[in-house]
């Protein structure tokens, strides 16, 4: 009797061991952007093939994540991170369940930047030896801004500057917040102070350009974006907005030679922005349409607008764009005399 009991105990332990091994599969993954850079702090959700949530984790500094103790079967991995489109990838453990072998599956998830994120201002990468009190005020200020507490955030950033007057990031971020609040002149003062501290930072010239665009000072805007691009040629936003500023200049000039040059340069900038965004910057279609229309090619302009609607079918301005397409394919209106056009700014 004791022998049978012992055999029964051993059998149970073996079954438990087999069951444990059946649940020991591991899924390892890495998240990268389309540029090949690993992405940290991305939220990774693991779901069963049918859609039920199994677990959630966050990528580490090397973009890695892992899930363990998984039974055989099919899984769905969903990656979410601010500024990027949600990416979903299917994977499975191929070892049949009765085999009871542990399996490790490695996957790589590629995430693409959202079109609206492509046009965001470049980040800063200037390092300073900042005194601790100033750094503390800065971190608190940025935290308040993220919480939507603008007044408190601005006050903290000013405290950081008071503690360390040459604090580049504090001046720059304060300028960005003032720009967001439409306090353009105050923002320009902060950007200029940041430029004096570090004149080789493309983000500062980019923000100068954005203020000039808002103030419709297009000649100054295009020069600011050109300077930003000369420092960092890989920013699609700098190329795009320079192209837009050049289009605005072309629409306003009475000088035919200058108009041709501006439109040609705008085309080059928009093409570069398109290439750097991996063909995802749909706003390029809108600016190309303006170029085509200004050159008198109304049908080409209409086709550009149609391409935009294909890329952005849920665009808020879709009805206005459809109306523009109809107008472009209707009878052409006579162009106003050159001397009636607004001057080049």
């Amino acid at each position: 009797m004791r022998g049978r009991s012992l055999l029964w105990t051993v059998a149970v332990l073996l079954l438990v061991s087999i069951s444990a091994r059946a649940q020991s599969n591991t899924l390892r993954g890495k998240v990268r952007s389309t540029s090949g850079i690993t992405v940290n702090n991305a939220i990774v959700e693991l779901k069963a093939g049918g859609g039920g949530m199994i677990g959630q984790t966050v990528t580490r500094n090397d973009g890695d994540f892992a899930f363990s103790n998984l039974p055989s079967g099919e899984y769905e991995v969903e990656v979410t991170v601010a500024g990027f489109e949600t990416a979903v990838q299917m994977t499975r453990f191929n070892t049949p369940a009765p085999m009871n072998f542990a399996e490790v599956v490695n996957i790589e998830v590629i995430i693409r930047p959202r079109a609206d994120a492509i046009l965001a201002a470049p980040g800063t990468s200037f390092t300073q030896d900042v005194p601790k009190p100033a750094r503390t005020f800065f971190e608190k200020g940025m935290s308040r801004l993220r919480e939507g507490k603008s007044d408190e955030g601005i006050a903290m950033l000013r405290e950081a500057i008071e503690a360390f007057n040459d604090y580049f990031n504090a001046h720059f971020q304060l300028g960005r917040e003032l720009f967001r609040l439409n306090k353009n002149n105050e923002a320009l003062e902060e950007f200029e102070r940041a430029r004096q501290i570090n004149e080789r930072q493309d983000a500062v010239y980019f923000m100068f350009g954005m203020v000039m665009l808002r103030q419709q000072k297009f000649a100054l805007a295009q020069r600011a974006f050109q300077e930003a691009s000369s420092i960092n040629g890989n920013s699609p936003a700098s190329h795009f907005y320079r192209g837009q500023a050049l289009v605005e200049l072309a629409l306003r000039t009475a000088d035919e030679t200058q108009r041709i040059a501006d439109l040609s340069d705008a085309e080059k900038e928009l093409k570069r922005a398109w290439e750097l965004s991996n063909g995802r910057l749909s706003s390029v279609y809108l600016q190309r349409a303006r170029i085509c229309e200004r050159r008198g090619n109304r049908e080409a302009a209409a086709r550009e607008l149609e391409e935009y609607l294909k890329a952005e079918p849920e665009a808020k301005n879709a009805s206005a764009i459809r109306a523009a397409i109809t107008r472009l394919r209707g009878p052409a209106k006579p162009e106003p005399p050159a001397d009636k056009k607004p001057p080049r700014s």
Side-chain angles (χ1 to χ4, degrees), residues 99 111 162 168 212 216 268 271 275 290 299 339:
M99 298 296 291
I111 56 176
E162 183 69 23
F168 173 85
M212 294 300 104
Q216 298 191 358
K268 293 174 184 175
K271 179 181 179 182
E275 292 169 347
R290 300 176 76 200
E299 177 57 31
D339 59 354

Side-chain angles (χ1 to χ4, degrees), residues 145-164:
L145 293 182
R146 285 191 291 269
E147 294 169 359
K149 299 175 181 178
S150 182
D151 290 343
E152 293 182 24
I154 288 174
M156 289 291 181
L157 291 176
R158 292 194 188 281
E159 289 282 358
I161 293 170
E162 183 69 23
F164 180 47

Side-chain angles (χ1 to χ4, degrees), residues 211-254:
V211 176
M212 294 300 104
L213 269 186
R214 179 181 283 176
Q215 296 181 339
Q216 298 191 358
K217 298 176 180 177
F218 301 115
L220 293 174
Q222 72 89 11
R223 286 200 293 271
F225 292 126
Q226 185 177 32
E227 185 65 28
S229 296
S230 70
I231 297 172
N232 176 15
N234 294 321
S235 168
S238 295
H239 289 285
F240 174 82
Y241 283 118
R242 181 170 187 247
Q244 179 179 323
L246 287 165
V247 171
E248 298 291 350
L249 288 172
L251 295 178
R252 288 162 170 76
T253 186

Side-chain angles (χ1 to χ4, degrees), residues 167-229:
Y167 200 164
F168 173 85
N169 283 346
H171 285 289
F172 179 77
Q173 296 297 343
L174 177 56
R176 286 186 63 171
E177 182 63 12
L178 292 169
F179 173 77
R180 190 187 69 81
L181 296 174
N182 209 28
K183 297 180 179 180
N184 299 317
N185 291 334
E186 292 181 56
L188 284 174
E189 290 178 6
E190 296 302 327
F191 293 140
E192 173 57 21
R193 185 70 187 98
R195 188 197 66 81
Q196 292 171 358
I197 298 167
N198 178 20
E199 63 179 9
R200 298 302 298 168
Q201 176 56 253
D202 66 302
V204 174
Y205 295 99
F206 179 89
M207 291 308 303
F208 270 121
M210 295 303 290
V211 176
M212 294 300 104
L213 269 186
R214 179 181 283 176
Q215 296 181 339
Q216 298 191 358
K217 298 176 180 177
F218 301 115
L220 293 174
Q222 72 89 11
R223 286 200 293 271
F225 292 126
Q226 185 177 32
E227 185 65 28
S229 296

Side-chain angles (χ1 to χ4, degrees), residues 64-96:
D64 288 346
F65 65 89
F67 295 96
S68 57
N69 299 324
L70 301 174
S72 296
E74 188 173 59
Y75 293 89
E76 177 182 296
V77 178
E78 182 176 294
V79 177
T80 306
V81 62
F84 291 83
E85 295 180 355
T86 298
V88 177
Q89 185 165 320
M90 301 300 296
T91 188
R92 66 176 298 111
F93 294 102
N94 296 312
T95 303

